[in-house]
Amino acid sequence: MESASVKIVALLLCLSIGAIVVKAEDPYLFFEWNVTYGTIAPLGVPLQGILINGQLPGPRINCTSNNNIVVNVYNNLDEPLLLTWTGIQQRKNSWQDGTPGTMCPIMPGTNFTYHFQVKDQIGSFFYFPTTGLHRTAGGFGALDVHSRNLIPVPFDKPADEYNVFLGDWYNKGHKTLKKILDGGRTIGRPDGIHINGKSNKVGDKAIEPLFTMEAGKTYRYRMCNVGMRTSVNVRIQGHAMKLVEMEGSHTVQNIYDSLDIHVGQCLSVLVTADQEPKDYYLVVSSRFLKYDISSVAILHYANGKGPTSSELPAPPPTNTEGIAWSMNQFRSFRWNLTASAARPNPQGSYHYGKINITRTIKIVNSRSQVGGKLRFGLNGISHVDTDTPLKLVEFFGVPEKTFKYDLMADEPPSDLSKVTIVPNVNNATFRNFVEIIFENQEKTIQTYHLDGYSFFAVAIEPGKWSPEKRKNYNLVDAVSKHNIQVYPNSWATVMTTLDNAGMWNLRSEMWERFYLGQQLYFSVLSPSRSLRDEYNLPDNQPLCGIVKSMPMPAPYTS
């Protein structure tokens, strides 16, 4: 093991050269990021965006399973900042999760160094800011985790890999949007869709190609929906897409003409440049809205001749028929049980369908008015962040000064029109195998994400859930992922083992809903209070609120 002084020298070196690798038990990757405002115009309207090292999308973290990631973040905004690494499980390390319930924010003019390990994971992920309405202003980027060389991948190495960020966009700045929500109103419908921070229409002149392909070669496109509220459909003119990975799991390699990608979700497709060498449109269009918004980008063949065709591939059905179409597509996604992967429980050996359920939590989302202001809730509780992060007050042994546990019941109340605005923290038993049912009685689609874990997405169906619906679960090869969509007037079930000690956010990925309370935290404590189960509070972790002047608790020692 190398000495601490060597690591310090390496860290100092990274300040000038960006990213370097240092030999250790597992390799270290170092990054320095400068977060600033900058003028951007994804839909042609200039506004104040959030850039990282002057870029949108931000710098790509390109790493390998078990790498240690060290990111020194300088906050040069005029507001507190946190970044989260959505889909990275942060094993034993919710201290680095980057949510308001786990960390004090990085204050303006200061820096903080994240240090986490992409332990036993592979796949396509992204990072973004969780503070305020910063997500609406950018600050997102790729976090791609590759398999180690000794672990075979179930497809040939592509000629190149391309990251594609898709999402809806608002032409109001993030501060204006925050004022609207703080004032009790909705931010309304988005103004358009962007692709990697830009938007184009068919026939626009002088569109710069998004990516270039060489005829006969195959490319990996890692696609993520980083929007605020809109599911999208993706298709590539004249080209099929082979799905190979979804949110950290290799999938059965089905071929698709188009794919729905819901808010917060990522997937990887292989695209072979097997058509006439020229330009082709990548098309992204909205799903399940009363109006249609779309954008295109150009995929260019090297040495290709000829412009794109104006005849676009047809979108999938809309309205009720479109929901059924999208549900059926979800059912076609399967875990690749023959593929190796970096997991504590390798694919093919984790028989989750044979584990006894120890707890069932049924969650129903709601939209309400409280004091004339818009709020969103889960089982009648609308979460509000505390001045001191939940994880810190729990670690210092004074949770009663900030919140009460288990105010949200495991069953929804009969009257969802009434909500209580309080911190929403649920105790969870370490290593319990839980079933979580999301029931959506509203007319708009929902998506949910769980930090700290992946879960098995075992079922999505229309109507209301009841215990006999369990006979319809996929208990063999449901995809292990961290994000699940719930269609209007429908339900979805996921299963997971709560074996990762920490404080973990379960949230709506619709950021208006997240900001106005549609989220909760699971407190998963290890009874042994041991380093085998959870890391100590990092030495560089800033303290704030009521714990700032309190004496440090005794650290875990074994």
Side-chain angles (χ1 to χ4, degrees):
M1 183 185 298
E2 68 176 347
S3 68
S5 61
V6 172
K7 288 187 178 180
I8 293 171
V9 171
L11 182 57
L12 292 173
L13 285 172
C14 83
L15 301 181
S16 60
I17 66 177
I20 62 175
V21 182
V22 178
K23 295 279 186 185
E25 297 143 355
D26 286 297
Y28 276 70
L29 298 178
F30 292 91
F31 301 88
E32 183 185 62
W33 288 359
N34 183 26
V35 183
T36 62
Y37 291 127
T39 301
I40 58 174
L43 305 183
V45 177
L47 49 81
Q48 185 186 66
I50 294 177
L51 309 178
I52 300 179
N53 293 353
Q55 304 171 211
L56 183 68
R60 176 191 184 202
I61 295 178
N62 191 33
C63 59
T64 300
S65 175
N66 289 356
N67 281 177
N68 289 281
I69 311 300
V70 182
V71 188
N72 190 14
V73 178
Y74 287 85
N75 178 14
N76 287 303
L77 308 181
D78 58 0
E79 297 179 335
L81 171 72
L82 281 173
L83 292 173
T84 195
W85 322 90
T86 187
I88 301 302
Q89 294 178 15
Q90 307 288 1
R91 302 296 299 179
K92 305 193 294 185
N93 197 20
S94 64
W95 305 112
Q96 305 291 306
D97 198 38
T99 61
T102 57
M103 300 177 64
C104 300
I106 309 168
M107 300 306 291
T110 68
N111 70 299
F112 174 75
T113 301
Y114 289 90
H115 179 192
F116 57 91
Q117 187 177 23
V118 288
K119 180 69 174 171
D120 296 316
Q121 288 189 263
I122 55 96
S124 305
F125 309 100
F126 68 98
Y127 58 83
F128 69 93
T130 58
T131 33
L133 267 288
H134 288 158
R135 179 165 170 159
T136 67
F140 55 79
L143 205 169
D144 299 338
V145 188
H146 298 265
S147 293
R148 288 178 290 178
N149 290 335
L150 294 176
I151 298 176
V153 175
F155 50 87
D156 292 336
K157 184 177 180 180
D160 208 342
E161 297 190 354
Y162 297 132
N163 290 99
V164 185
F165 295 100
L166 321 160
D168 53 18
W169 192 264
Y170 289 78
N171 282 331
K172 297 181 179 69
H174 68 99
K175 293 182 179 180
T176 299
L177 293 172
K178 185 174 182 295
K179 286 180 181 178
I180 291 171
L181 294 183
D182 289 344
R185 296 173 291 143
T186 177
I187 58 175
R189 69 184 197 180
D191 296 295
I193 284 177
H194 74 90
I195 304 172
N196 280 13
K198 297 180 180 179
S199 182
N200 299 289
K201 301 298 180 186
V202 173
D204 285 354
K205 303 298 182 182
I207 302 177
E208 293 186 5
L210 184 66
F211 300 113
T212 297
M213 302 189 291
E214 293 185 24
K217 294 185 177 181
T218 298
Y219 296 81
R220 181 175 185 171
Y221 285 79
R222 298 178 184 257
M223 301 180 178
C224 296
N225 185 337
V226 296
M228 281 281 287
R229 64 183 296 178
T230 307
S231 298
V232 299
N233 180 267
V234 181
R235 46 208 186 273
I236 299 175
Q237 198 175 48
H239 294 74
M241 297 178 289
K242 180 187 287 187
L243 182 67
V244 295
E245 177 260 332
M246 178 178 288
E247 298 182 19
S249 290
H250 295 308
T251 59
V252 172
Q253 295 178 14
N254 295 325
I255 304 296
Y256 298 89
D257 293 325
S258 71
L259 281 163
D260 280 355
I261 308 178
H262 306 281
V263 179
Q265 295 183 359
C266 294
L267 52 80
S268 290
V269 296
L270 297 181
V271 177
T272 299
D274 55 4
Q275 300 298 306
E276 176 188 350
K278 62 172 191 174
D279 289 349
Y280 294 88
Y281 281 126
L282 182 151
V283 186
V284 182
S285 57
S286 59
R287 298 287 277 144
F288 319 122
L289 296 181
K290 293 180 179 179
Y291 55 95
D292 294 325
I293 51 178
S294 63
S295 183
V296 298
I298 286 179
L299 303 182
H300 175 69
Y301 273 61
N303 302 316
K305 297 180 181 179
T308 53
S309 168
S310 60
E311 186 176 343
L312 299 181
T318 57
N319 302 324
T320 303
E321 185 181 353
I323 291 173
W325 183 96
S326 191
M327 277 190 186
N328 284 332
Q329 184 172 88
F330 163 80
R331 294 183 184 118
S332 74
F333 301 148
R334 290 288 189 267
W335 208 17
N336 188 339
L337 299 181
T338 64
S340 299
R343 292 183 176 279
N345 297 288
Q347 296 187 38
S349 68
Y350 192 12
H351 301 297
Y352 65 93
K354 297 181 179 179
I355 303 174
N356 291 328
I357 297 168
T358 51
R359 181 181 181 185
T360 295
I361 306 171
K362 182 180 175 183
I363 296 175
V364 178
N365 50 278
S366 62
R367 176 188 180 120
S368 307
Q369 294 283 325
V370 179
K373 292 186 177 183
L374 179 65
R375 295 295 301 187
F376 297 97
L378 298 173
N379 287 4
I381 303 295
S382 184
H383 174 80
V384 62
D385 288 326
T386 53
D387 291 336
T388 311
L390 306 166
K391 178 62 179 171
L392 280 176
V393 294
E394 186 177 71
F395 179 72
F396 276 81
V398 289
E400 71 282 354
K401 293 182 178 292
T402 301
F403 67 89
K404 293 182 179 179
Y405 291 102
D406 300 325
L407 294 177
M408 190 195 87
D410 286 358
E411 287 281 339
S414 57
D415 184 2
L416 286 166
S417 64
K418 299 177 182 179
V419 297
T420 304
I421 303 176
V422 288
N424 195 1
V425 185
N426 261 28
N427 272 312
T429 302
F430 189 49
R431 295 188 175 137
N432 263 15
F433 188 68
V434 300
E435 170 190 48
I436 305 175
I437 300 126
F438 300 98
E439 191 172 277
N440 177 19
Q441 300 175 3
E442 298 185 57
K443 296 179 180 179
T444 56
I445 192 170
Q446 311 289 317
T447 64
Y448 290 95
H449 164 82
L450 176 60
D451 281 352
Y453 302 92
S454 60
F455 47 61
F456 297 100
V458 298
I460 294 179
E461 290 191 358
K464 294 187 177 182
W465 182 87
S466 57
E468 60 268 19
K469 299 291 185 180
R470 291 190 178 111
K471 68 180 184 295
N472 299 333
Y473 288 1
N474 176 358
L475 298 180
V476 178
D477 59 356
V479 177
S480 175
K481 58 206 302 286
H482 56 80
N483 187 296
I484 187 72
Q485 71 269 21
V486 193
Y487 297 95
N489 299 307
S490 302
W491 58 268
T493 297
V494 302
M495 294 176 167
T496 192
T497 301
L498 298 178
D499 60 353
N500 190 14
M503 182 75 70
W504 304 110
N505 190 217
L506 172 66
R507 61 176 175 264
S508 170
E509 281 292 289
M510 275 66 172
W511 218 244
E512 174 183 47
R513 287 176 169 266
F514 167 85
Y515 184 76
L516 293 181
Q518 196 168 312
Q519 56 169 309
L520 63 87
Y521 284 86
F522 282 120
S523 171
V524 185
L525 294 176
S526 165
S528 63
R529 295 182 60 84
S530 167
L531 287 173
R532 291 171 295 177
D533 298 328
E534 186 173 15
Y535 297 139
N536 280 314
L537 177 74
D539 292 339
N540 70 326
Q541 199 89 349
L543 300 179
C544 56
I546 63 172
V547 304
K548 192 170 184 178
S549 58
M550 293 180 66
M552 287 294 296
Y556 301 155
T557 57
S558 62

